[in-house]
Amino acid sequence: MPRIVFSDGDLDRVTVAERPHVMWETVLSLHVLQHDDGADVFDVWRRTVEHGLGESSLREAVRRLCELDPNDSYFPDFLTPDISDLSPVKAIRRVVSTPPELVREEIDRLCRRRPRTAWLRDLGRDPRATAGVLRASLSRYYRLAIEPLESELVETVARESQRRRSALRRGVAALFDGFDPEVMRWDPPVLDVLAPGADVELRGRGLVLIPSTFCWQRAVTPAKTSGRPTVVYPAARDVAVGATCGPGRPLQALLGRRRAAVLAAVSSGSSTGAVASRLELPASSVSEHLAVLRDAGLVTSGRQGRSIEHRTTALGELLLGRAE
Protein backbone atom coordinates (compact mmCIF):
# COMPACT_ATOMS: atom_id res chain seq x y z
CA MET A 1 0.00 0.00 0.00
CA PRO A 2 1.69 3.24 -1.13
CA ARG A 3 2.21 5.99 1.42
CA ILE A 4 2.28 9.41 -0.23
CA VAL A 5 4.17 11.76 2.07
CA PHE A 6 3.35 15.47 1.88
CA SER A 7 5.62 18.35 2.79
CA ASP A 8 4.26 21.79 3.71
CA GLY A 9 4.88 22.91 0.14
CA ASP A 10 2.67 20.16 -1.27
CA LEU A 11 -0.52 21.02 0.58
CA ASP A 12 -1.44 23.81 -1.83
CA ARG A 13 -0.24 21.89 -4.90
CA VAL A 14 -2.99 19.28 -5.07
CA THR A 15 -5.06 19.43 -8.25
CA VAL A 16 -8.02 17.43 -9.57
CA ALA A 17 -8.18 16.79 -13.32
CA GLU A 18 -11.27 18.29 -14.95
CA ARG A 19 -11.24 16.16 -18.10
CA PRO A 20 -10.99 12.44 -18.79
CA HIS A 21 -7.42 11.28 -19.36
CA VAL A 22 -7.60 9.61 -22.77
CA MET A 23 -4.98 6.95 -22.13
CA TRP A 24 -5.93 6.14 -18.55
CA GLU A 25 -9.52 5.50 -19.66
CA THR A 26 -8.24 3.35 -22.55
CA VAL A 27 -5.83 1.35 -20.39
CA LEU A 28 -8.29 0.78 -17.54
CA SER A 29 -11.13 -0.12 -19.91
CA LEU A 30 -8.93 -2.94 -21.23
CA HIS A 31 -8.61 -4.17 -17.65
CA VAL A 32 -12.40 -4.16 -17.32
CA LEU A 33 -12.64 -6.33 -20.46
CA GLN A 34 -10.33 -8.86 -18.81
CA HIS A 35 -12.37 -9.40 -15.63
CA ASP A 36 -16.04 -9.99 -14.81
CA ASP A 37 -16.37 -7.76 -11.75
CA GLY A 38 -18.83 -4.90 -11.62
CA ALA A 39 -21.46 -6.52 -13.81
CA ASP A 40 -24.09 -3.92 -12.92
CA VAL A 41 -21.70 -1.11 -13.87
CA PHE A 42 -19.87 -2.46 -16.92
CA ASP A 43 -21.84 -5.27 -18.55
CA VAL A 44 -23.82 -2.99 -20.90
CA TRP A 45 -20.52 -1.61 -22.19
CA ARG A 46 -18.85 -5.05 -22.27
CA ARG A 47 -21.66 -6.48 -24.41
CA THR A 48 -21.46 -3.54 -26.81
CA VAL A 49 -17.69 -3.95 -27.23
CA GLU A 50 -17.85 -7.71 -27.60
CA HIS A 51 -20.56 -7.33 -30.23
CA GLY A 52 -18.25 -4.97 -32.14
CA LEU A 53 -15.38 -7.49 -32.18
CA GLY A 54 -16.71 -9.33 -35.19
CA GLU A 55 -13.77 -8.62 -37.46
CA SER A 56 -10.81 -10.96 -36.89
CA SER A 57 -8.22 -8.21 -37.34
CA LEU A 58 -9.92 -6.13 -34.64
CA ARG A 59 -10.00 -9.09 -32.27
CA GLU A 60 -6.29 -9.53 -32.93
CA ALA A 61 -5.65 -5.84 -32.15
CA VAL A 62 -7.45 -6.14 -28.82
CA ARG A 63 -5.58 -9.36 -28.01
CA ARG A 64 -2.27 -7.55 -28.56
CA LEU A 65 -3.34 -4.72 -26.29
CA CYS A 66 -4.43 -7.10 -23.52
CA GLU A 67 -1.02 -8.78 -23.63
CA LEU A 68 0.66 -5.40 -23.28
CA ASP A 69 -1.87 -4.08 -20.74
CA PRO A 70 -2.90 -7.01 -18.50
CA ASN A 71 -5.34 -6.67 -15.65
CA ASP A 72 -2.52 -6.82 -13.12
CA SER A 73 -0.79 -4.64 -10.54
CA TYR A 74 1.86 -3.74 -13.14
CA PHE A 75 1.47 -2.65 -16.74
CA PRO A 76 3.86 -0.45 -18.75
CA ASP A 77 3.82 3.19 -17.67
CA PHE A 78 4.56 4.43 -21.19
CA LEU A 79 0.91 3.66 -22.00
CA THR A 80 -0.20 6.54 -19.73
CA PRO A 81 2.09 9.50 -20.46
CA ASP A 82 1.78 12.82 -18.66
CA ILE A 83 -0.62 14.65 -20.95
CA SER A 84 -2.94 17.58 -20.51
CA ASP A 85 -6.20 17.48 -22.43
CA LEU A 86 -4.75 15.90 -25.58
CA SER A 87 -7.02 14.57 -28.31
CA PRO A 88 -7.03 10.78 -28.77
CA VAL A 89 -4.89 10.99 -31.92
CA LYS A 90 -2.26 13.13 -30.19
CA ALA A 91 -2.32 11.00 -27.04
CA ILE A 92 -1.77 7.79 -29.02
CA ARG A 93 0.99 9.51 -30.99
CA ARG A 94 2.66 10.38 -27.67
CA VAL A 95 2.51 6.73 -26.59
CA VAL A 96 4.07 5.34 -29.76
CA SER A 97 6.81 7.99 -29.70
CA THR A 98 8.09 6.73 -26.34
CA PRO A 99 11.91 6.37 -26.47
CA PRO A 100 12.77 2.77 -27.50
CA GLU A 101 15.01 2.20 -24.49
CA LEU A 102 12.12 3.01 -22.13
CA VAL A 103 9.76 0.66 -24.03
CA ARG A 104 12.32 -2.16 -23.78
CA GLU A 105 12.86 -1.55 -20.07
CA GLU A 106 9.15 -1.65 -19.28
CA ILE A 107 8.46 -4.67 -21.51
CA ASP A 108 11.26 -6.49 -19.70
CA ARG A 109 9.70 -5.60 -16.35
CA LEU A 110 6.28 -6.79 -17.56
CA CYS A 111 7.71 -10.09 -18.79
CA ARG A 112 9.26 -10.85 -15.42
CA ARG A 113 5.67 -11.38 -14.28
CA ARG A 114 4.15 -13.12 -17.32
CA PRO A 115 5.14 -14.97 -20.54
CA ARG A 116 6.97 -13.03 -23.24
CA THR A 117 4.58 -13.58 -26.15
CA ALA A 118 5.63 -13.14 -29.78
CA TRP A 119 4.02 -9.68 -29.83
CA LEU A 120 5.76 -8.53 -26.65
CA ARG A 121 9.05 -9.94 -27.92
CA ASP A 122 8.74 -8.02 -31.21
CA LEU A 123 7.68 -4.82 -29.44
CA GLY A 124 10.57 -5.00 -27.00
CA ARG A 125 13.12 -5.97 -29.66
CA ASP A 126 12.34 -3.10 -32.05
CA PRO A 127 9.79 -0.56 -30.75
CA ARG A 128 10.17 1.69 -33.79
CA ALA A 129 9.43 -1.11 -36.25
CA THR A 130 6.30 -2.12 -34.34
CA ALA A 131 5.10 1.43 -33.63
CA GLY A 132 2.66 1.35 -36.56
CA VAL A 133 1.03 -1.84 -35.28
CA LEU A 134 0.71 -0.39 -31.77
CA ARG A 135 -0.74 2.87 -33.12
CA ALA A 136 -3.29 1.05 -35.27
CA SER A 137 -4.28 -1.27 -32.42
CA LEU A 138 -4.81 1.59 -29.98
CA SER A 139 -6.69 3.68 -32.55
CA ARG A 140 -9.05 0.88 -33.56
CA TYR A 141 -9.77 -0.06 -29.96
CA TYR A 142 -10.40 3.57 -29.01
CA ARG A 143 -12.89 4.02 -31.86
CA LEU A 144 -14.71 0.84 -30.83
CA ALA A 145 -14.72 1.05 -27.05
CA ILE A 146 -14.14 4.64 -25.92
CA GLU A 147 -15.20 7.06 -28.63
CA PRO A 148 -18.94 6.20 -28.36
CA LEU A 149 -18.73 7.11 -24.65
CA GLU A 150 -16.92 10.44 -25.05
CA SER A 151 -19.77 12.66 -23.88
CA GLU A 152 -20.55 10.31 -20.96
CA LEU A 153 -16.91 10.24 -19.84
CA VAL A 154 -16.66 14.03 -20.05
CA GLU A 155 -19.84 14.44 -18.02
CA THR A 156 -18.88 11.87 -15.36
CA VAL A 157 -15.39 13.27 -14.82
CA ALA A 158 -16.55 16.92 -14.89
CA ARG A 159 -19.18 16.22 -12.22
CA GLU A 160 -16.72 14.29 -10.05
CA SER A 161 -14.00 16.93 -10.48
CA GLN A 162 -16.35 19.76 -9.58
CA ARG A 163 -17.36 17.98 -6.37
CA ARG A 164 -13.75 17.27 -5.35
CA ARG A 165 -12.48 20.75 -6.24
CA SER A 166 -15.29 22.25 -4.16
CA ALA A 167 -14.07 20.20 -1.19
CA LEU A 168 -10.45 21.18 -1.92
CA ARG A 169 -11.33 24.85 -1.50
CA ARG A 170 -11.85 24.00 2.19
CA GLY A 171 -8.42 22.37 2.36
CA VAL A 172 -6.75 19.04 1.63
CA ALA A 173 -8.22 17.46 4.77
CA ALA A 174 -11.75 18.18 3.51
CA LEU A 175 -10.80 16.75 0.12
CA PHE A 176 -9.22 13.50 1.29
CA ASP A 177 -11.68 12.91 4.14
CA GLY A 178 -14.42 12.81 1.50
CA PHE A 179 -13.00 9.69 -0.14
CA ASP A 180 -14.09 6.14 0.59
CA PRO A 181 -11.57 4.90 3.19
CA GLU A 182 -11.28 1.71 1.11
CA VAL A 183 -9.77 3.86 -1.66
CA MET A 184 -7.53 6.31 0.23
CA ARG A 185 -7.09 7.56 3.79
CA TRP A 186 -5.64 10.86 5.02
CA ASP A 187 -3.42 10.69 8.11
CA PRO A 188 -1.47 13.98 7.96
CA PRO A 189 1.05 14.34 6.46
CA VAL A 190 0.52 10.95 4.76
CA LEU A 191 -2.06 9.85 2.21
CA ASP A 192 -2.44 6.07 2.31
CA VAL A 193 -3.61 4.73 -1.06
CA LEU A 194 -5.13 1.26 -0.86
CA ALA A 195 -3.54 -0.10 -4.01
CA PRO A 196 -0.33 -1.82 -5.07
CA GLY A 197 2.66 0.47 -5.41
CA ALA A 198 5.68 2.04 -3.76
CA ASP A 199 5.87 4.89 -1.25
CA VAL A 200 6.28 8.40 -2.68
CA GLU A 201 7.70 11.53 -1.07
CA LEU A 202 6.24 14.52 -2.89
CA ARG A 203 8.96 17.02 -1.88
CA GLY A 204 7.19 20.04 -3.33
CA ARG A 205 6.02 18.38 -6.56
CA GLY A 206 2.37 18.30 -5.50
CA LEU A 207 -0.15 15.64 -6.45
CA VAL A 208 -2.56 15.20 -9.36
CA LEU A 209 -5.80 13.30 -8.76
CA ILE A 210 -7.37 11.87 -11.92
CA PRO A 211 -10.98 10.67 -11.66
CA SER A 212 -11.69 7.80 -14.06
CA THR A 213 -14.89 6.14 -15.24
CA PHE A 214 -13.14 2.80 -15.85
CA CYS A 215 -11.14 2.74 -12.61
CA TRP A 216 -12.80 -0.03 -10.57
CA GLN A 217 -12.99 -0.09 -6.75
CA ARG A 218 -9.40 0.85 -5.95
CA ALA A 219 -7.05 3.63 -6.97
CA VAL A 220 -4.04 3.22 -9.26
CA THR A 221 -0.61 4.76 -8.73
CA PRO A 222 1.83 4.70 -11.66
CA ALA A 223 5.13 2.92 -11.09
CA LYS A 224 7.15 5.67 -12.80
CA THR A 225 9.17 8.05 -10.68
CA SER A 226 9.47 10.88 -13.22
CA GLY A 227 6.88 13.59 -13.73
CA ARG A 228 4.34 14.87 -11.27
CA PRO A 229 3.01 12.20 -8.87
CA THR A 230 -0.46 10.96 -9.80
CA VAL A 231 -3.30 8.95 -8.28
CA VAL A 232 -6.07 7.67 -10.54
CA TYR A 233 -9.26 6.88 -8.65
CA PRO A 234 -12.84 5.70 -9.39
CA ALA A 235 -15.22 8.51 -10.33
CA ALA A 236 -18.72 8.30 -8.87
CA ARG A 237 -21.23 6.99 -11.41
CA ASP A 238 -25.00 7.48 -11.42
CA VAL A 239 -25.75 4.85 -14.06
CA ALA A 240 -24.10 1.87 -15.72
CA VAL A 241 -21.29 2.76 -18.14
CA GLY A 242 -22.72 3.00 -21.64
CA ALA A 243 -26.34 3.15 -20.46
CA THR A 244 -26.93 6.74 -21.56
CA CYS A 245 -24.35 7.34 -24.28
CA GLY A 246 -23.12 5.56 -27.38
CA PRO A 247 -24.71 4.85 -30.76
CA GLY A 248 -28.49 4.85 -30.50
CA ARG A 249 -28.52 6.04 -26.88
CA PRO A 250 -31.02 8.80 -25.93
CA LEU A 251 -28.85 11.94 -25.88
CA GLN A 252 -26.87 11.10 -29.00
CA ALA A 253 -29.99 9.90 -30.78
CA LEU A 254 -31.56 13.29 -30.08
CA LEU A 255 -28.62 15.57 -30.86
CA GLY A 256 -26.19 13.44 -32.84
CA ARG A 257 -22.92 12.13 -31.41
CA ARG A 258 -20.75 15.18 -32.10
CA ARG A 259 -23.30 17.74 -30.96
CA ALA A 260 -23.93 15.75 -27.77
CA ALA A 261 -20.15 15.68 -27.16
CA VAL A 262 -19.96 19.47 -27.67
CA LEU A 263 -22.80 19.98 -25.19
CA ALA A 264 -21.06 17.85 -22.58
CA ALA A 265 -17.71 19.55 -23.26
CA VAL A 266 -19.03 22.99 -22.26
CA SER A 267 -20.81 21.79 -19.13
CA SER A 268 -18.19 23.43 -16.90
CA GLY A 269 -17.42 26.30 -19.31
CA SER A 270 -15.07 26.26 -22.28
CA SER A 271 -14.01 28.26 -25.33
CA THR A 272 -14.61 27.22 -28.93
CA GLY A 273 -10.91 26.54 -29.46
CA ALA A 274 -10.62 24.40 -26.34
CA VAL A 275 -13.62 22.29 -27.35
CA ALA A 276 -12.28 21.92 -30.90
CA SER A 277 -8.90 20.75 -29.61
CA ARG A 278 -10.44 18.40 -27.06
CA LEU A 279 -12.84 16.73 -29.49
CA GLU A 280 -10.48 17.01 -32.46
CA LEU A 281 -13.04 18.87 -34.57
CA PRO A 282 -12.59 21.95 -36.79
CA ALA A 283 -13.34 25.16 -34.88
CA SER A 284 -15.87 26.06 -37.58
CA SER A 285 -17.74 22.81 -36.95
CA VAL A 286 -17.76 23.41 -33.18
CA SER A 287 -19.06 26.94 -33.78
CA GLU A 288 -21.93 25.56 -35.87
CA HIS A 289 -22.85 23.02 -33.20
CA LEU A 290 -22.71 25.71 -30.52
CA ALA A 291 -24.95 28.01 -32.57
CA VAL A 292 -27.59 25.28 -32.84
CA LEU A 293 -27.32 24.47 -29.13
CA ARG A 294 -27.54 28.17 -28.25
CA ASP A 295 -30.62 28.66 -30.43
CA ALA A 296 -32.22 25.68 -28.68
CA GLY A 297 -31.56 27.26 -25.28
CA LEU A 298 -29.08 24.58 -24.23
CA VAL A 299 -25.94 26.76 -24.21
CA THR A 300 -25.19 30.35 -23.33
CA SER A 301 -22.12 32.30 -24.48
CA GLY A 302 -20.42 35.30 -22.92
CA ARG A 303 -17.10 37.09 -23.00
CA GLN A 304 -14.48 36.10 -20.44
CA GLY A 305 -11.44 38.31 -20.85
CA ARG A 306 -10.27 38.02 -24.45
CA SER A 307 -12.25 34.91 -25.30
CA ILE A 308 -15.86 33.80 -25.50
CA GLU A 309 -16.84 31.17 -22.95
CA HIS A 310 -19.69 28.77 -23.64
CA ARG A 311 -21.59 27.04 -20.84
CA THR A 312 -24.64 24.82 -20.59
CA THR A 313 -27.89 26.42 -19.41
CA ALA A 314 -30.21 24.87 -16.82
CA LEU A 315 -32.04 23.20 -19.70
CA GLY A 316 -28.74 21.87 -21.05
CA GLU A 317 -27.84 20.50 -17.63
CA LEU A 318 -31.25 18.84 -17.44
CA LEU A 319 -30.69 17.18 -20.80
CA LEU A 320 -27.31 15.94 -19.62
CA GLY A 321 -28.97 14.53 -16.52
CA ARG A 322 -27.06 16.85 -14.21
CA ALA A 323 -29.83 19.09 -12.89
CA GLU A 324 -30.18 19.06 -9.11
Side-chain angles (χ1 to χ4, degrees):
M1 179 175 71
R3 301 174 72 254
I4 299 178
V5 183
F6 283 68
S7 66
D8 290 341
D10 295 302
L11 296 176
D12 59 357
R13 298 201 65 200
V14 177
T15 59
V16 184
E18 299 179 40
R19 306 285 311 173
H21 188 294
V22 169
M23 293 313 304
W24 272 112
E25 296 293 2
T26 301
V27 161
L28 294 176
S29 73
L30 282 161
H31 293 188
V32 170
L33 277 184
Q34 296 174 72
H35 66 69
D36 298 324
D37 296 341
D40 57 334
V41 176
F42 297 117
D43 269 5
V44 170
W45 173 80
R46 285 187 181 111
R47 286 194 297 268
T48 301
V49 172
E50 288 165 1
H51 179 73
L53 289 175
E55 187 181 338
S56 61
S57 62
L58 183 52
R59 290 197 302 272
E60 179 66 14
V62 173
R63 181 194 61 76
R64 282 193 293 265
L65 294 178
C66 289
E67 289 180 5
L68 177 61
D69 177 30
N71 177 37
D72 200 351
S73 59
Y74 177 77
F75 51 90
D77 284 315
F78 74 81
L79 292 172
T80 53
D82 294 327
I83 57 176
S84 177
D85 207 20
L86 288 183
S87 69
V89 170
K90 291 179 181 177
I92 291 171
R93 188 180 301 147
R94 178 74 64 82
V95 170
V96 300
S97 64
T98 303
E101 59 274 15
L102 180 57
V103 175
R104 294 190 189 98
E105 177 185 328
E106 295 189 358
I107 294 295
D108 285 345
R109 179 173 179 177
L110 175 66
C111 292
R112 287 198 291 269
R113 305 173 61 93
R114 57 187 47 250
R116 189 181 294 266
T117 64
W119 158 242
L120 293 178
R121 184 178 61 250
D122 292 344
L123 183 60
R125 179 184 297 157
D126 195 342
R128 286 202 173 98
T130 52
V133 176
L134 179 57
R135 180 189 293 110
S137 298
L138 286 168
S139 298
R140 295 189 70 187
Y141 176 75
Y142 185 90
R143 287 195 297 270
L144 169 69
I146 306 298
E147 187 177 71
L149 298 176
E150 282 177 343
S151 59
E152 180 180 331
L153 300 186
V154 167
E155 179 191 345
T156 298
V157 170
R159 182 171 59 245
E160 171 72 18
S161 177
Q162 184 176 20
R163 182 164 67 98
R164 299 300 183 185
R165 285 184 289 116
S166 177
L168 182 57
R169 286 193 284 271
R170 303 193 302 274
V172 293
L175 169 66
F176 292 133
D177 287 347
F179 280 94
D180 183 336
E182 295 302 312
V183 174
M184 60 183 86
R185 301 170 187 168
W186 178 237
D187 183 15
V190 174
L191 179 67
D192 290 319
V193 181
L194 278 71
D199 291 351
V200 177
E201 292 191 13
L202 297 181
R203 297 178 179 174
R205 293 176 294 169
L207 181 69
V208 180
L209 298 176
I210 301 179
S212 165
T213 297
F214 282 100
C215 190
W216 174 242
Q217 291 190 323
R218 67 183 185 184
V220 180
T221 57
K224 60 190 171 188
T225 57
S226 61
R228 195 171 176 193
T230 298
V231 174
V232 183
Y233 72 92
R237 313 170 186 86
D238 294 332
V239 295
V241 175
T244 60
C245 287
R249 302 297 181 187
L251 183 57
Q252 293 192 12
L254 178 65
L255 299 179
R257 184 166 62 86
R258 290 302 184 191
R259 191 163 294 161
V262 170
L263 179 65
V266 299
S267 60
S268 56
S270 191
S271 67
T272 300
V275 174
S277 175
R278 192 173 302 144
L279 300 181
E280 203 175 345
L281 290 173
S284 58
S285 177
V286 171
S287 294
E288 290 174 6
H289 287 308
L290 286 168
V292 173
L293 294 169
R294 193 163 45 244
D295 289 345
L298 302 176
V299 166
T300 184
S301 303
R303 183 167 292 281
Q304 293 287 331
R306 296 183 179 181
S307 63
I308 302 295
E309 183 179 81
H310 312 285
R311 188 179 294 270
T312 47
T313 62
L315 180 60
E317 292 288 288
L318 182 64
L319 190 61
L320 287 170
R322 296 183 58 193
E324 297 181 355

